[in-house]
Amino acid sequence: MAERVRRPDQHAAVERDVLVRYLDAWTAKALRSQRGGTYVECGGFAADALRVFGEFSDRLDDHHLELVIIGSAVPEGVPAGLSVRVAGDPRDLEVTGPVLTHLDGPDAWPLVAPMARGKGHEVLVTAPAGDHPEQGCSVELVAEDGETRLLVFLTADEKHLATFKSELWAVDEFAGIRYRDPRDAEGILVDISLTPQLLPLRRALVAELGRRGRRTVAELQRFTLLETIYRPEDAVGALTSAVTAGEVTREQEKGRLTPRTVVGLP
């Protein structure tokens, strides 16, 4: 494996990468919908958002897509066809259609509930680790020196959550950041990878089987999506290793696990 290169701000690099990747997927979907969408930037990533929107410049004229910047000036490079405005308080915004909001910093938490309220409203929070409401998909970003920040994503759309999880594991694996699931009692640090370490997920799935009894793989994939930092497809690998280790039994002894396969504890 190549040697990791330390960056001046490891957290910002990963936060920006996750945000840009998800915003790209979100924008593509917004431009396929007649409702369009509004992106609200309450941190320091407005210039990055403009670069994302610039990739769709040939489609902006025929769709409603708006960037709202909270508390700072509009950066250079606004692509033609994109509506841009500056506002003081995100809670006072009047918007229609889907909304994606990025909140940053320790003062973000009181804004989460009002910005997540409404159909199609999603929130991505980047903030210092510490006391915070237990909500959404939460991931701790742990730097090489142990400094930790928190990434939280809230959505009512499970397909969007799955997309976010896919982008989460696709960011730069050499950024010097590892992930930790706040719900993992053992607090294991996991390297960023398209094929991540699955031990924390394996333990979580075995614990879920202990609480609720026999489940289908599909049910455990949904649990993985909603209750862990992992992707639904990761559940198959974690369950396969648990079956091999004798921690989990399956109804059909041979063949690959499928969504209909029922598994349980011995």
Side-chain angles (χ1 to χ4, degrees):
M1 180 179 291
E3 182 181 355
R4 291 181 181 269
V5 178
R6 184 174 178 83
R7 297 183 174 183
D9 191 339
Q10 298 169 326
H11 291 105
V14 171
E15 291 169 358
R16 179 177 289 105
D17 202 353
V18 173
L19 176 63
V20 165
R21 286 174 177 276
Y22 184 70
L23 181 58
D24 183 82
W26 180 88
T27 302
K29 183 170 183 179
L31 292 177
R32 290 195 297 268
S33 168
Q34 294 184 347
R35 297 187 300 163
T38 300
Y39 176 66
V40 182
E41 176 55 57
C42 301
F45 294 156
D48 299 284
L50 287 177
R51 284 192 287 272
V52 172
F53 296 139
E55 296 293 324
F56 298 90
S57 57
D58 60 330
R59 300 167 57 189
L60 294 176
D61 284 335
D62 300 326
H63 299 82
H64 167 72
L65 190 65
E66 183 178 34
L67 168 63
V68 180
I69 303 173
I70 304 298
S72 63
V74 179
E76 296 181 357
V78 177
L82 177 69
S83 299
V84 181
R85 57 176 161 143
V86 174
D89 189 331
R91 288 168 291 196
D92 296 333
L93 293 176
E94 294 185 6
V95 294
T96 59
V99 180
L100 173 62
T101 301
H102 170 229
L103 302 172
D104 183 66
D107 298 329
W109 303 117
L111 297 173
V112 171
M115 297 311 297
R117 188 179 301 123
K119 184 178 181 180
H121 288 207
E122 300 179 342
V123 178
L124 179 62
V125 183
T126 50
D131 293 337
H132 65 278
E134 200 169 304
Q135 55 190 320
C137 171
S138 299
V139 185
E140 291 181 349
L141 312 181
V142 185
E144 293 170 337
D145 61 4
E147 183 181 352
T148 303
R149 281 179 60 85
L150 194 68
L151 188 67
V152 178
F153 179 64
L154 296 97
T155 181
D157 190 320
E158 293 186 12
K159 291 183 178 179
H160 284 205
L161 179 56
T163 298
F164 173 78
K165 293 280 190 74
S166 294
E167 303 302 344
L168 182 71
W169 289 102
V171 302
D172 184 3
E173 63 180 299
F174 299 115
I177 292 292
R178 288 185 289 177
Y179 291 153
R180 183 166 59 204
D181 191 336
R183 301 179 185 181
D184 179 17
E186 296 193 16
I188 290 181
L189 295 175
V190 181
D191 289 336
I192 299 173
S193 172
L194 290 174
T195 54
Q197 176 188 358
L198 298 179
L199 180 57
L201 175 59
R202 178 170 150 184
R203 288 202 320 270
L205 293 173
V206 170
E208 175 69 0
L209 290 172
R211 286 188 296 267
R212 302 190 60 188
R214 298 172 69 80
R215 304 275 101 188
T216 65
V217 170
E219 289 172 322
L220 292 175
Q221 287 182 305
R222 187 168 186 269
F223 168 83
T224 298
L225 175 66
L226 299 179
E227 303 295 338
T228 78
I229 66 174
Y230 289 93
R231 303 159 297 188
E233 57 265 33
D234 293 326
V236 175
L239 288 169
T240 298
S241 63
V243 169
T244 301
E247 295 177 333
V248 170
T249 61
R250 51 179 292 181
E251 281 190 350
Q252 299 163 329
E253 295 184 359
K254 296 183 180 181
R256 300 178 62 181
L257 296 176
T258 71
R260 295 184 178 180
T261 304
V262 176
V263 297
L265 298 184

